Amino acid sequence: MAKLLDCLCKAGADGLAALLAERAATGAALDDPSGVAALLDSLRKAGADGPVAVLAERAARITPDKPEDARWLLDSLRKAGTDRQVAALAERAAAHTALGNAYSVADLLNGLREAGADDDAAALAGRAASHVCLDGSFEVAKLLSVLRGDQVAVLAERAAAHGHPAAVAELLAVLRDAGAHGPAAALVERLPAAGRFDLFMDIGDHQDRFRFGREPDTTATAPWTWEDLE
C-alpha cells in the first residue's frame, strides 16, 4: 500500500491517493511493524494528515519484537509529530523488544534518546546490559559504546567472560575506552587459550615478558636456547 500510494502521488492521481490513504489508515494490517512504518512515511509525504493521525494511533499499540522494527516505527511516528504515540511505543519497546542482536539494540537505544524517551532508554539499557545475547564481539562492542553509567560495568563483565576471539580486539578497545579496565584485563588473560596469542603478545610489555613463551599457569616461560630442545 505504501508503494502504491507513492506511485499514485507521483502520477498526480490525488483523488485516488486520498481514497487509498483513508482506507489504508483504517484497514492496514499491523502484523508487520516495518511495513506500518513505511506506510506512515508515505502518508506523511502525501500530506494525508488525517490518515497519519489514524494510523499513528493504531501503530502506537504495536509491540515490535525486533529492535530494528521498533526503531523504524519509532522514527516514523516521531517524524509524523505524534508525540503521545511515540511515548506509548517507546515504553513498550523498551520493556518487551527482543535482545538477540546487540547491534540492533544499540540502534534502538539511540532512537529512544533521539525521541526524548530517556527513561525508556535507561530501562532498555538495563535489560540489555544483563540479558543481551553476547554472540558477536563487534555487536557487543557497539552496544557497550552507547551504554552509560552502571550498565557499562555490567555488560563489560559479561562480555569479558564470553567475548569471541575473532573480534576481541575491537571489544578490548571499547572496554578500555569505557574505563572497564578489570573486564579488559580478564579478557586479555583469555586470549592465549582462545587461540589469539598473537594479539596477547601485542599488549603492554608481553613481547618482553613472554618472549620465550607462556606456561599453562600463566607465568612466563624461563629462557631457553635451541640446544635445550635437543
Side-chain angles (χ1 to χ4, degrees), residues 75-152:
D75 286 350
S76 295
L77 288 170
R78 181 171 56 85
K79 291 174 183 176
T82 56
D83 295 341
R84 182 172 57 82
Q85 289 83 359
V86 167
L89 178 65
E91 183 177 2
R92 278 201 314 285
H96 301 292
T97 193
L99 302 175
N101 186 302
Y103 192 97
S104 296
V105 172
D107 192 45
L108 176 56
L109 264 176
N110 286 332
L112 289 169
R113 289 167 182 160
E114 290 169 11
D118 293 335
D119 290 344
D120 297 312
L124 177 60
R127 289 180 59 222
S130 299
H131 302 293
V132 75
C133 177
L134 297 175
D135 291 343
S137 289
F138 288 118
E139 291 80 2
V140 174
K142 171 64 178 178
L143 179 57
L144 268 171
S145 71
V146 301
L147 290 180
R148 299 171 181 172
D150 294 341
Q151 288 90 358
V152 174

Side-chain angles (χ1 to χ4, degrees), residues 20-34:
L20 177 61
E22 293 286 347
R23 293 181 59 206
T26 58
L30 302 179
D31 55 348
D32 178 9
S34 61

Side-chain angles (χ1 to χ4, degrees), residues 17-50:
L19 178 60
L20 177 61
E22 293 286 347
R23 293 181 59 206
T26 58
L30 302 179
D31 55 348
D32 178 9
S34 61
V36 175
L39 181 56
L40 265 173
D41 290 340
S42 294
L43 289 170
R44 176 176 52 83
K45 293 173 184 176
D49 295 339

